[in-house]
Amino acid sequence: MTGRRPLIAGNWKMNLDHLQSIAFVQKLAWTLRDAKHDKGAVEVAVFPPFTDLRSVQTLVNSDELPIAYGGQDLSAFDSGAYTGEISGAFLHALDCRYVIIGHSERRQYHHETDETVATKVAAAFRHQLIPVVCVGETAEDLETHGASAIPVAQLREALAPVTRGSEVVVAYEPVWAIGSGQAATPAQAQQVCAALRAVVAEVLGEDAGAATRILYGGSVKAANIASFMREADIDGALVGGASLLLEEFASIAQYQKHVGI
Ligand code: PEP
């Protein structure tokens, strides 16, 4: 027992419009209720597109659904002439609990650097959002530097603006495993997650190291989640493709019922 509440988080990316988000979240809540999901034992969160968040907020609040939610990104700035950007203040106003920062698709397609990630982490804290900081190596990095060097360096920089006592979630997502169907082995993911936990402990203190949730992401599905969750330093999953499949995602959230765990 670690005392860390596992988090199963679904990153919808640019999928499901606001009407579809209502249907999905409602059905997810029913499915979890029917499965007698214990929200105290495993937290479930979804990360819909920005345009869905108001609908998700209304549904979650009015029906008191046991589902957390957050944005997939935020601006490093709080307000002003930044066309197309979304302020952390707006996410906070929609009761978002989390915000994903530094996803590899943001790093790749929007040229976000470790420095950008750090400024966004600072912005998340200014608006009482818990950052879900994504780190991970490319296939090339893996070959050149091994598995942990790049994620460790990325996390060190991302934590620079974090003050002791602030909650952060770390997601280890090897870029080569995202959307490829080729997940990391649980042993490799554990090794990197342990190295990331050591960074959190070094930068934010032993207590933070012990308390911080570290997720694995990259081709997670119902068939492999239990093998990751058996590892000592893996506290949940950031799920992409499988988070759009209702039964599959609900089954991932129910991993404790899977054989052998
Ligand atoms: C992701 O994009 O964060 C992700 C983990 O995707 P997938 O589960 O599809 O590999």
Side-chain angles (χ1 to χ4, degrees):
M1 285 297 288
T2 65
R4 299 186 291 268
R5 179 161 67 131
L7 172 61
I8 300 296
N11 173 14
W12 293 0
K13 311 192 186 192
M14 198 171 68
N15 294 290
L16 306 185
D17 66 23
H18 73 289
L19 295 176
Q20 293 167 318
S21 79
I22 294 171
F24 189 97
V25 170
Q26 183 75 77
K27 281 188 207 148
L28 178 62
W30 288 336
T31 306
L32 292 174
R33 185 199 55 199
D34 291 349
K36 300 199 176 7
H37 181 80
D38 177 0
K39 72 169 183 178
V42 178
E43 182 179 15
V44 176
V46 294
F47 292 82
F50 291 131
T51 50
D52 297 4
L53 286 170
R54 173 68 176 145
S55 304
V56 171
Q57 178 204 28
T58 304
L59 181 62
V60 166
N61 284 355
S62 63
D63 293 0
E64 295 180 22
L65 303 182
I67 295 173
Y69 56 90
Q72 297 175 13
D73 182 36
L74 85 172
S75 174
F77 305 101
D78 294 343
S79 66
Y82 302 102
T83 302
E85 294 283 277
I86 299 290
S87 169
F90 306 160
L91 298 180
H92 178 64
L94 290 172
D95 299 328
C96 287
R97 179 166 158 76
Y98 296 105
V99 61
I100 294 174
I101 300 178
H103 190 279
S104 65
E105 287 151 16
R106 301 289 316 172
R107 293 178 190 259
Q108 185 182 351
Y109 304 132
H110 300 270
H111 313 293
E112 292 195 2
T113 62
D114 291 341
E115 199 184 342
T116 321
V117 170
T119 60
K120 290 189 171 191
V121 168
F125 287 126
R126 285 198 300 279
H127 300 291
Q128 299 85 50
L129 299 163
I130 300 171
V132 178
V133 177
C134 299
V135 297
E137 81 288 0
T138 62
E140 206 181 349
D141 294 333
L142 179 64
E143 203 157 298
T144 317
H145 306 286
S148 43
I150 298 294
V152 158
Q154 288 174 334
L155 184 60
R156 216 179 273 287
E157 186 137 0
L159 292 181
V162 183
T163 50
R164 287 186 182 220
S166 308
E167 183 175 359
V168 60
V169 173
V170 178
Y172 167 52
E173 299 207 304
V175 181
W176 47 270
I178 294 178
S180 67
Q182 173 80 59
T185 63
Q188 190 230 307
Q190 161 59 24
Q191 186 207 329
V192 179
C193 290
L196 295 172
R197 189 172 305 288
V199 172
V200 177
E202 184 194 314
V203 177
L204 300 177
E206 289 297 328
D207 288 353
T212 296
R213 291 176 294 177
I214 302 185
L215 317 182
Y216 166 75
S219 297
V220 168
K221 45 192 183 203
N224 63 17
I225 181 68
S227 63
F228 290 107
M229 296 307 293
R230 279 189 205 107
E231 299 292 343
D233 288 294
I234 299 179
D235 307 309
L238 184 54
V239 185
S243 74
L244 299 167
L245 308 171
L246 187 82
E247 297 293 339
E248 183 79 5
F249 186 60
S251 177
I252 292 170
Q254 293 287 300
Y255 71 88
Q256 288 171 319
K257 296 185 180 145
H258 295 193
V259 179
I261 204 153

